[in-house]
Amino acid sequence: MNKISSSALFPSSTSTMINTEDNSSHGSAAVDPPTLQHEVEIQDRSFPAINLPSALSNLLQIRLPSSKNPSSALIVDKQTPAESPLDNISFLRTAIHGSGDWSQFLNPLHPSLRREILKYGELAQATYDAFDNNPESKYHGSSLFGRHRLLPLLCLTRHDYSITKYLYATSQLDLPHWLVRPADRAKSHWCDESNWMGFVAVSGNAETDRLGCRDIVVAWRGTVAAAEWLKDLQGQLEPFPGADDPDVRVEHGFHSLYTSRSQISRFTASSASEQLTAELQRLVNLYKHSGEEVSVTITGHSLGGALALLSAADAALSLPAGVPVGVISFGAPRVGNEAFGEMLKKNRVKVLRVATKQDVVPKVPGLLFNEDRKMKGWEGVYVHVGDELELDAKDSPYLKREVIDVAGFHGLETYLHLVDGFERAGAGFRATARRDAALVNKSGALLKEELGIPANWHQPANKGLVKNKFGRWVHPKRDSEDIPSPFVEKRDVVDSAAGVPAASGGTGVR
């Protein structure tokens, strides 16, 4: 059975590192940009014949220097706290978490919005860090931790959110091959038909006071390696249910993952869409009934960014009027056509896309084909939605420049590093950035070697094995709360019906 997989993000064994140095007699002469013929070759699956270094250098605006001269020594401050202090931004509630326009805060990037983007990015990163990606695990495809323990164990309690529900999607789908991992493992002990895909969380009382509203967050997990996106550049568009305009269309694979059910799984007897809609309605009604201002913020990286757009479209149609719905996505692909984007605007869904110039994923589906075809009447053409915060990896003095690391440029930790360093377009990397640069190499190898940070350093000790009382190395048993159970999810929702959310700790109505 195929399991949708995250490589959290991309293990070094699958990273695509392409040397951009040209050792030929032609030196560093400019390479002609890819032509439509390349597009035809890609679609005909002649992918290996493409000159990837030159094609990607042009497509992703990476004309990296080929000099091997060592760069100036980097000075890394190891004593300044890695997080900026959080200010009360309730006076900015309408602008940041309400119906206001984000565009006026992007260039230069408002410090308060930067901190919010980083917060949501870290919650999205938690879906990778908590994902059981070990093919030998009995619970492969689930969360490593129960939802009451996830944020504390990942040291994210400073954000003051409590998880109220886990979200699952079925793997019983006819998805593109880049969405699934080969069935190269033994049958799962918890559920072969389901995958943990993210969570719903609610801001605590202190964070609610800081924001000026009760913030309901949805964080979606991404799944795929960036290089694999190049193999399926054109997906099938299908109508979006519930849209007034019959021309509204979205990518088939994303929509299938979001809306499909599996009657043989207790985790996905209802679709991810149905699970989320029910939980959002429950929480919004709970807090609105108590007279609180409520916002819904949906975040995700890569495929998770695509799911964020689909779920925002659903939320705008299913929640009471006046509840702000916003999306902050990282490295997200195109999801639908122009009519889909117009529907989101009509329903007042705010979208902020964070995209890096060197990342290929935001350029698909539709790489090359629809760059010059964004016009009325092309309902089969993919377009992006919302405001864009464009980042440039070349701005960071910490990142390598002698290679194109497709996986590294797409990694969420790389995105968060660049967001922290962004002040305004063309201004370079801000000197007061605080986020620890070592996180870039957490699951990648994009940092300059002179920094002395090993690649892919975030690994469990002894690859997860522990020594038992007999001196044998074994896989440890999970804490009972960390064993996935649909019955626990259902019981907590019932217990919360009296007016307390399913999460514990400071999120009750006031």
Side-chain angles (χ1 to χ4, degrees):
M1 181 66 62
N2 287 347
K3 265 286 184 185
I4 302 175
S5 169
S6 164
S7 44
L9 266 169
F10 311 103
S12 56
S13 61
T14 60
S15 293
T16 304
M17 298 280 275
I18 306 171
N19 195 332
T20 62
E21 296 182 359
D22 189 348
N23 298 322
S24 68
S25 60
H26 296 292
S28 58
V31 181
D32 291 335
T35 64
L36 186 59
Q37 180 61 35
H38 286 122
E39 173 103 3
V40 174
E41 291 176 354
I42 293 175
Q43 292 181 353
D44 288 342
R45 303 200 178 273
S46 300
F47 182 76
I50 294 177
N51 184 342
L52 276 178
S54 61
L56 289 176
S57 290
N58 284 275
L59 279 170
L60 308 183
Q61 304 179 40
I62 308 175
R63 296 304 302 162
L64 303 180
S66 59
S67 171
K68 293 186 178 180
N69 295 329
S71 59
S72 58
L74 289 171
I75 300 176
V76 180
D77 184 353
K78 298 182 180 180
Q79 297 183 350
T80 300
E83 292 92 27
S84 299
L86 295 177
D87 299 327
N88 188 301
I89 59 172
S90 57
F91 67 99
L92 292 173
R93 183 188 66 80
T94 300
I96 294 181
H97 289 93
S99 58
D101 185 4
W102 276 331
S103 61
Q104 60 181 316
F105 292 94
L106 296 179
N107 195 19
L109 182 59
H110 194 287
S112 295
L113 181 56
R114 179 190 296 112
R115 294 187 191 110
E116 292 303 289
I117 294 172
L118 290 173
K119 176 183 73 176
Y120 293 118
E122 290 182 352
L123 292 174
Q125 178 66 41
T127 64
Y128 290 113
D129 296 340
F131 183 64
D132 189 344
N133 196 41
N134 181 1
E136 305 302 324
S137 169
K138 294 180 179 179
Y139 305 105
H140 177 269
S142 69
S143 170
L144 289 166
F145 315 114
R147 56 188 175 76
H148 298 302
R149 287 160 38 91
L150 186 150
L151 296 179
L153 290 176
L154 295 181
C155 302
L156 293 174
T157 53
R158 67 184 183 277
H159 293 316
D160 191 27
Y161 283 81
S162 295
I163 296 175
T164 68
K165 185 173 181 59
Y166 276 170
L167 301 171
Y168 297 89
T170 179
S171 56
Q172 292 276 14
L173 298 172
D174 182 19
L175 293 174
H177 68 275
W178 42 262
L179 276 177
V180 296
R181 78 178 269 123
D184 57 358
R185 60 179 186 83
K187 186 175 179 64
S188 169
H189 285 222
W190 76 285
C191 185
D192 260 338
E193 291 75 31
S194 301
N195 299 271
W196 180 69
M197 290 300 297
F199 58 80
V200 183
V202 178
S203 60
N205 292 338
E207 180 70 354
T208 296
D209 291 339
R210 189 183 75 85
L211 299 179
C213 61
R214 185 73 67 174
D215 188 33
I216 302 171
V217 172
V218 181
W220 289 106
R221 180 176 62 81
T223 60
V224 301
E228 294 176 327
W229 287 86
L230 295 175
K231 299 178 182 179
D232 292 86
L233 299 179
Q234 297 295 332
Q236 176 187 351
L237 284 162
E238 65 182 26
F240 184 78
D244 294 335
D245 184 352
D247 289 334
V248 173
R249 297 177 183 276
V250 293
E251 202 278 331
H252 167 74
F254 303 150
H255 194 246
S256 293
L257 179 64
Y258 179 60
T259 60
S260 295
R261 310 182 190 94
S262 173
Q263 296 304 320
I264 59 176
S265 168
R266 292 171 295 183
F267 291 90
T268 51
S270 58
S271 68
S273 169
E274 293 165 333
Q275 297 165 43
L276 177 59
T277 297
E279 182 68 356
L280 288 180
Q281 289 176 337
R282 184 183 74 86
L283 292 172
V284 167
N285 290 336
L286 174 66
Y287 290 112
K288 292 290 285 185
H289 182 72
S290 69
E292 295 194 43
E293 295 290 338
V294 178
S295 67
V296 175
T297 309
I298 308 176
T299 189
H301 167 254
S302 191
L303 172 67
L307 296 175
L309 268 188
L310 293 174
S311 49
D314 264 356
L317 294 172
S318 61
L319 295 179
V323 175
V325 177
V327 173
I328 297 180
S329 67
F330 303 84
R334 298 180 178 113
V335 174
N337 61 0
E338 185 175 14
F340 176 67
E342 291 299 324
M343 181 189 74
L344 290 174
K345 292 177 185 177
K346 177 183 175 182
N347 293 333
R348 303 181 67 81
V349 174
K350 291 169 56 173
V351 179
L352 176 58
R353 296 185 302 103
V354 185
T356 300
K357 287 182 179 180
Q358 291 79 11
D359 185 7
V360 68
V361 172
K363 304 179 188 303
V364 298
L367 181 65
L368 296 180
F369 174 75
N370 58 255
E371 291 304 310
D372 297 321
R373 294 170 172 80
K374 296 173 183 175
M375 60 187 75
K376 294 289 183 180
W378 286 76
E379 61 272 2
V381 174
Y382 291 92
V383 298
H384 274 305
V385 180
D387 296 314
E388 179 183 59
L389 176 61
E390 186 180 52
L391 308 173
D392 191 340
K394 291 183 290 185
D395 287 342
S396 172
Y398 301 92
L399 304 183
K400 294 177 181 177
R401 296 197 173 200
E402 69 274 13
V403 296
I404 300 175
D405 184 347
V406 177
F409 287 136
H410 182 57
L412 180 51
E413 289 290 3
T414 302
Y415 268 81
L416 299 183
H417 169 71
L418 294 173
V419 168
D420 192 39
F422 183 87
E423 188 166 18
R424 68 177 72 233
F429 202 82
R430 70 184 184 108
T432 55
R434 289 191 176 215
R435 188 174 174 80
D436 192 351
L439 292 170
V440 173
N441 271 17
K442 186 177 182 178
S443 301
L446 199 54
L447 289 177
K448 290 181 177 179
E449 293 181 0
E450 65 195 77
L451 293 171
I453 305 298
N456 300 291
W457 56 261
H458 187 254
Q459 301 178 21
N462 303 312
K463 294 191 174 182
L465 294 183
V466 297
K467 186 179 287 188
N468 67 12
K469 63 181 180 180
F470 302 107
R472 305 286 185 179
W473 288 95
V474 297
H475 289 285
K477 291 184 178 181
R478 281 196 180 187
D479 185 282
S480 59
E481 186 179 339
D482 298 335
I483 297 175
S485 170
F487 301 110
V488 171
E489 293 272 340
K490 182 177 294 187
R491 184 180 68 244
D492 283 343
V493 170
V494 172
D495 290 345
S496 71
V500 180
S504 62
T507 58
V509 294
R510 297 182 290 181

